[in-house]
Amino acid sequence: MPYSGRAMNDAGLVVEARAGNLKAFGAIYDRHAGGVHDFLRSVTGDDALAREVLHDTFVMAGSRLLQLPQPAKLRPWLYAIARRQALHRLARQRRWKPWRRRKGTAKKGTARRGPAAAGERAPTGPTDERGHVALALGEVLGPKERVVLDLHLRHGMDGRQLAEVLGVTAAQASAMARRVRERAEREVGVRVVARTGRQECRQLAKTLTGRRGRLRRPTRKRVVRHVDSCRTCRERRRKVATPLALMSAVPPMSPPGYVRDLVL
């Protein structure tokens, strides 16, 4: 019977790949690389690093397929490998950068990596709500929190599947997702209102006079108090907070074909 990867479920592909069928492993890559790549771009904020970690993730998965206890759980297993690899690379970068600065090798204006850098590079024009949300998320969340939010919103994981990726219980995973989402909605809403609402609200503009970029804590508290008491700004925040859905609406970007060739 001719091989057809598309007709097989994940468990079937794992069984075939374990038997040495390279086409089956290619089908695993084709089915999941797009989502994993999208996840890594969001978490690392760096396209080149995302491609490197994608490559390492699938090479590692290929060498460890026999260690996958339940072939049907291939998807969360792949994301778990990608998560560990991405966080490890980001932590290593943070340790490396202070050394570079002491040695005087870091150039002024060098682009930073990580979720905050990804947000800063995002378009931030007054009509680009997605850009404002991305920028605010980069300011609010650290890499581990961004992992939880991205898996939950963009990749539809909750409960057991999210728990398998994070290495916690299902109850803990659900609580983490709820907590990170609530924080992101609250903090992102305030920041986006601060960036986009000055023209509609004179009092907000007055509160933010001379302030640009990242909101420091005292200013943020004043903005929160104002938004809570201002009908115009409160309505704007309400409309912005729900659009973390913007994050889940962006179609994933497929990885370049050469990564597949290198993996196989």
Side-chain angles (χ1 to χ4, degrees):
M1 182 177 179
Y3 172 79
S4 176
R6 290 184 179 180
M8 286 188 178
N9 57 22
D10 281 352
L13 289 174
V14 169
V15 171
E16 289 284 324
R18 281 175 170 175
N21 188 332
L22 188 59
K23 290 184 177 179
F25 190 74
I28 289 174
Y29 181 92
D30 294 338
R31 183 173 294 177
H32 295 289
V36 173
H37 177 246
D38 181 74
F39 167 67
L40 291 170
R41 288 180 73 245
S42 176
V43 173
T44 65
D46 185 288
D47 288 346
L49 181 58
R51 292 192 294 268
E52 291 174 15
V53 179
L54 176 70
H55 169 271
D56 294 348
T57 295
F58 276 89
V59 169
M60 186 174 293
S63 68
R64 297 181 179 180
L65 271 181
L66 290 174
Q67 298 176 21
L68 175 58
Q70 299 182 51
K73 295 184 176 181
L74 172 66
R75 182 173 182 254
W77 183 69
L78 288 172
Y79 277 85
I81 295 174
R83 167 186 169 271
R84 288 192 296 270
Q85 290 293 307
L87 293 178
H88 172 72
R89 293 288 289 270
L90 290 172
R92 190 168 67 183
Q93 284 183 356
R94 287 194 294 272
R95 291 193 298 269
W96 169 248
K97 284 182 178 180
W99 183 87
R100 290 187 65 201
R101 285 195 291 271
R102 288 197 300 271
K103 290 292 185 179
T105 56
K107 296 180 180 179
K108 187 177 181 180
T110 300
R112 294 179 296 156
R113 288 183 175 180
E120 288 162 6
R121 291 196 299 271
T124 56
T127 60
D128 189 355
E129 190 177 34
R130 186 178 296 132
H132 288 298
V133 170
L135 179 59
L137 281 172
E139 294 177 353
V140 171
L141 303 180
K144 292 182 180 180
E145 293 172 312
R146 188 62 184 261
V147 162
V148 175
L149 189 68
D150 196 76
L151 290 171
H152 179 53
L153 287 184
R154 283 190 61 72
H155 301 280
M157 293 189 186
D158 204 349
R160 288 185 179 180
Q161 197 170 51
L162 182 60
E164 287 163 6
V165 178
L166 300 177
V168 297
T169 66
Q172 289 172 326
S174 296
M176 290 167 67
R178 183 177 63 253
R179 190 163 55 245
V180 171
R181 179 165 186 160
E182 288 174 353
R183 183 185 172 206
E185 288 178 341
R186 182 177 63 252
E187 297 284 346
V188 167
V190 168
R191 283 167 169 79
V192 175
V193 168
R195 288 193 172 93
T196 63
R198 302 184 195 214
Q199 293 182 348
E200 294 183 13
C201 179
R202 292 182 180 179
Q203 184 59 42
L204 177 64
K206 184 178 179 180
T207 301
L208 295 169
T209 299
R211 292 175 173 83
R212 292 290 185 271
R214 185 185 292 268
L215 290 180
R216 301 301 176 185
R217 188 173 182 179
T219 304
R220 190 166 67 248
K221 285 185 175 181
R222 287 196 294 272
V223 173
V224 170
R225 287 196 296 266
H226 167 75
V227 172
D228 287 342
S229 62
C230 174
R231 184 175 182 179
T232 299
C233 292
R234 195 164 60 245
E235 179 63 15
R236 177 176 283 272
R237 181 177 61 181
R238 186 188 66 79
K239 291 179 179 178
V240 167
T242 42
L244 283 182
L246 286 170
M247 189 177 171
S248 59
V250 180
M253 180 182 292
S254 299
Y258 75 82
V259 179
R260 184 185 194 276
D261 296 337
L262 289 173
V263 168
L264 296 182

